[in-house]
């Protein structure tokens, strides 16, 4: 079973169980964003978590193996077209240099890791319209001379 | 004075004053990320704030006018090469579909605005290496039928 | 049933019923442009409307579910080749900066939303050849400082 | 004087006169959108209008000649990055096929001309936030067999 | 039956009848270039002509419907690789500005329509090697101010 | 003097003499399209013709040399944006395969040369709007086996 | 039978016969390079040669017809990645302007035809390592004025 | 003196001396193709040859140093537009796989080097039109396992 | 059996045998990196090694033949997206010119071969986190004049 | 002084001193590869090293400041054309998936850092031609679930 088939199996189970990523994550012991990324095939799950995910969705050994497999992370659109994803891309384009300025002033020459990294989505209720709050948390990696 | 010249003037002043975006922002009454983006020419400043920025950096009327001008937001690299900015792009590529899943499950069909939007950079100290914490806060905009 | 199969089912039904988007929209209580976009899979329909669409075309529950699903909006051609669609792209290329000038002068620094948005197609009869009248109506979203 | 220099001369004059495209257009006898496009160098002006524009802005013969010159319409970004212009591009991507469906059902096989064409920007006041109303009006051109 | 299947059906019939586009066009009452483009799926045929084409090739109602359908005109290669087609692309690249000069000097600011348009291929016999003569005939569309 | 400077010198002279390519071509003994392409730097002129062009426009030896120089034919836009040139590109996209069908049926496997080639622009007056008639004439070059 | 199936049939036959392109070419009366290009579907074969190829490989009428068909020459990679083919592309990139200099100095303004063209591969034995010798032979086509 | 200035100096000298690459090469003791590539800045010259070139063209020490410098070989157009260079690109596209077939059958798995490489241009006189003969000679480099 | 099917067969066998590339390489007498590249279809194996590989994985003659076949080396992503592969691409982008400087200073004008080439992966244990050590070893190929 | 001017100043000094990166690095106390990358503007130097570099090359305070500045790492060619750099790109294309296989088997799911990273160039003398030995050393960064 490859990652695509795995995703389809999990999405079907999730839909028939009518659970959210938040509910599933809290039952399994994983954050909703990471859980969704693993189920969509963009992260591998540790053995124990893979077993817990498969059990939660009442799926078999093949799904466990597919969840544990190390993914090759490929995306087709250099510039994404879906409006939700494009807006994130736009943030990188508009604020990329700004973030470089502010982060490197605060931390020195280096980068925020996208590997030693976590992310969270929260809802901020607001009378003028609710707000999405994304939090990205990545280790600072300094450049070194040698 | 165009935005490029404005940026150069401000960066020179900022460097000779040896102040950080945080210090400048706190004196001017603006967040460091927004302030940096306005000084780099990627956002326009309201008249009052433009005046405060110019005053803080001891710069003249031309800088005020250039800060108030509405920018045309252009970036040259569809896929950015600088490692700090690329990692943000990579996050969009790896987690784009995941965020679509989680946000739309939580909020319904719609997007996070990149216009009615703010952003913050914080440092999380950690014995294994400090961490960069980016917070993106955008209004949820629901699609409507008509 | 995915969106592609849904579109095929609706188009077949529509063709065998020999109805136009205008007739269908007026029966269902939706504008023709929005209805066509939902049936082509580029917008999700609210539950009630999805049910009305399926009923109008005598299609089943699977179609209702597919209409309600939140679409991932993808287009393959960065520069469209079909002449009807290319002309619209050309309008954006030729008049993009002009519209930025005129809109921002009138409304301040900000954008016209493509999410809180509606669109209409009308025919203007004219002896020298009929004219297509497209009306785009989007909420103005002002940039804010923070 | 080339179109770039012409645009700069007009923009400087317009700014020092503190007039809007609407005021200028109404004085000159041209719509604000067309006037802006001609002043930005994306359309040529008929001799009489060119003279009226130059006179209104107190500019000389060179500006008249530059306004009359036939422009080569070039844009650099196949996919525009400025958010205001990108949203228009997004509308073409999301609704391109929909508009093809609706227009060709109403008019037959053919296109909306981008040459025999006009465009208008209006403000619709609304308590939840003002709305931008763009109206595109182009001659329908039917395909012919031969 | 979609356009691809229609093309295949017609090409098979044409090949087994051993007729040329010229012979077919003269029997059906259409020019060879237009007929080929309609049979290759790049133009729609009026009802009467569609019927005549299907009859000529002894094909059924499905082919008539497919010929009448309005095509979405898509080509995959922004720069074509087949040498015959590339040479035409090269002519546009080498002589594009030249044609703009000569046409606009003769007709004023505007374009040659590719919609209200016809095209013809002729053979010019020549002792040093026969010559291909392509004639493009398109309505001149003037730009207008508004 | 390079080709760019040559073009500028000739265009200035042509404009101050208020002559058309047709008039210039008829005086010099060259077709208007070829003459324009040589003056725009996309073809080299034989020594005699180069001298005649320079004389006609009262320009010096440097222009003669620049006209005789063999050009490197470069265009920047793989897909042209100017509407007049784009329509020609669209014709290649829409009718490329059709022309391949019709030409190769008539001439055998091979191509129309873009080197041993000439082109002409004519005006066809028409009550519904004048028409542009482009004639392309290129030697047929058959593929050979070896 | 299309060209892809034809190629597969010939390659299978060639492999089971354990013959080289050189042996096949010499038996059929064609050069190895041309023969390979026709069998790979990038050239059409004259009727007689097509029959000889099919006979040599003990294949039927369908292969003869597919060999005679005029190919549409398409390649997917604008910049080829296979190292053997990339090196040829690199030669064009590194030496393209050089060859233009040397050829046009020797022959006048014009090009080397890629249609009236042949090519040969030879092995030059050398103690330091054998050498590949490619010979390209194309008719010179002069540009003409008209 | 950089390579661009060096090229300009040599081309000016060569033009005023009215010599060909063949004459220059024979005087200097270098092949015309290599000599042109070194003078165009696409190859470095050994010290002795660099001195001979500068002497032949009566140029100074700066030219010697610039000829000896190791070039960074950059070309701007992934797909060249000049017809002479495009035809070579087309040969790579049409015959790339064919050459891979024939070369690897003759030499084993490996490539023709573009570094340990030479090239020659000859004229083959022919009553139907002279022919350009390009000879590429590169060391065969076999892949190895390890 | 093509290379894709071969890879699948080997990967399945390898997985069910629970062996690493290191163990397999040491049993077969090949380095792990080269072995993996041959099994992934990016290198051909000499007859003897191909037989040893097939035997080790208990696979048949078809796999031997597929391993011996000369691959066409194609990759789809000009800029790879998988983070592990992208980091290597980034190294080429950031350090490409630096390596050119240092290698050519040490070896003269020329390149490091990617054909007469080997590569190795080692683990360097380190208390702060293990390190990956890649060693690339390629023959230096000097440019020559001719 | 920006990084470009800094590079020029250092290269001029280095050339007039006739020293190699190896000699300079050993005097300054830095590896030759890192030193070259800092001098080419692709890495920032710690204050002490920046001072040592400037002193070694007898350059002033401006060079020290420019060496300490954090660079924006930009490269123009997604696919590099210089043969030395392209071969490295080719290695990433041909061996990217192979390295992913071997590294992740050895280290688990994760990547080799290009930030916590060093690199070395050595010469391996060999009778058949010297060999370039590149060693890349990067920290392994494991993906984590959260």
């Amino acid at each position: 079973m490859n990652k695509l088939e795995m995703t389809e199996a999990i999405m079907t189970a999730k839909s028939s169980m009518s659970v959210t990523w938040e509910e599933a994550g809290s039952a399994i012991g994983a954050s909703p964003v990471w859980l969704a990324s693993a189920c969509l095939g963009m992260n591998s799950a540790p053995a124990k978590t893979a077993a817990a995910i498969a059990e939660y969705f009442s799926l078999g050994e093949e799904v466990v193996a597919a969840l544990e497999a190390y993914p090759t992370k490929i995306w087709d659109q250099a510039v994404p077209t879906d409006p939700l994803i494009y807006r994130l891309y736009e943030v990188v384009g508009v604020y990329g240099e700004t973030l470089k300025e502010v982060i490197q002033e605060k931390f020195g020459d280096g980068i925020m890791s996208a590997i030693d990294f976590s992310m969270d989505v929260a809802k901020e209720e607001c009378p003028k319209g609710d707000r999405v709050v994304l939090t990205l948390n990545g280790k600072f990696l300094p450049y070194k001379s040698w």
Side-chain angles (χ1 to χ4, degrees), chain A:
Chain A
M1 179 179 265
N2 62 30
K3 295 258 179 197
L4 272 181
E5 296 160 339
M6 172 199 86
T7 297
E8 208 172 300
I10 294 175
M11 295 311 263
T12 304
K14 174 171 176 293
S15 165
S16 72
M17 289 166 66
S18 290
V19 292
T20 62
W21 292 111
E22 206 141 324
E23 291 163 351
S26 130
I28 289 159
S31 81
V33 171
W34 178 86
L35 179 63
S37 82
C39 292
L40 290 173
M42 283 305 237
N43 268 315
S44 66
K48 223 166 156 174
T49 317
I53 295 170
E55 191 181 41
Y56 180 79
F57 289 117
S58 308
L59 295 165
E61 274 309 299
E62 277 200 330
V63 165
V64 176
L67 280 162
E68 288 188 57
Y70 300 166
T72 297
K73 303 180 179 189
I74 287 179
W75 55 94
D76 290 335
Q77 297 187 299
V79 178
T81 57
D82 184 80
L84 186 141
I85 305 175
Y86 182 81
R87 296 308 179 272
L88 299 169
Y89 173 80
E90 189 175 284
V91 166
V92 176
V94 172
Y95 293 100
E97 284 183 57
T98 293
L99 291 171
K100 189 171 160 68
E101 265 295 303
V102 176
I103 292 173
Q104 295 189 337
E105 186 177 84
K106 219 168 197 149
F107 290 83
D109 197 6
I111 67 158
M112 179 183 86
S113 179
I115 307 297
D116 189 333
F117 174 83
S118 66
M119 190 158 40
D120 184 65
V121 173
K123 181 189 274 194
E124 186 181 295
E125 306 213 342
C126 178
K128 290 187 189 164
D130 293 345
R131 300 184 73 82
V132 184
V133 182
L134 292 190
T135 314
L136 288 71
N137 183 312
K139 191 178 180 183
F140 179 74
L141 304 179
Y143 287 110
K144 295 181 186 162
S145 53
W146 72 87

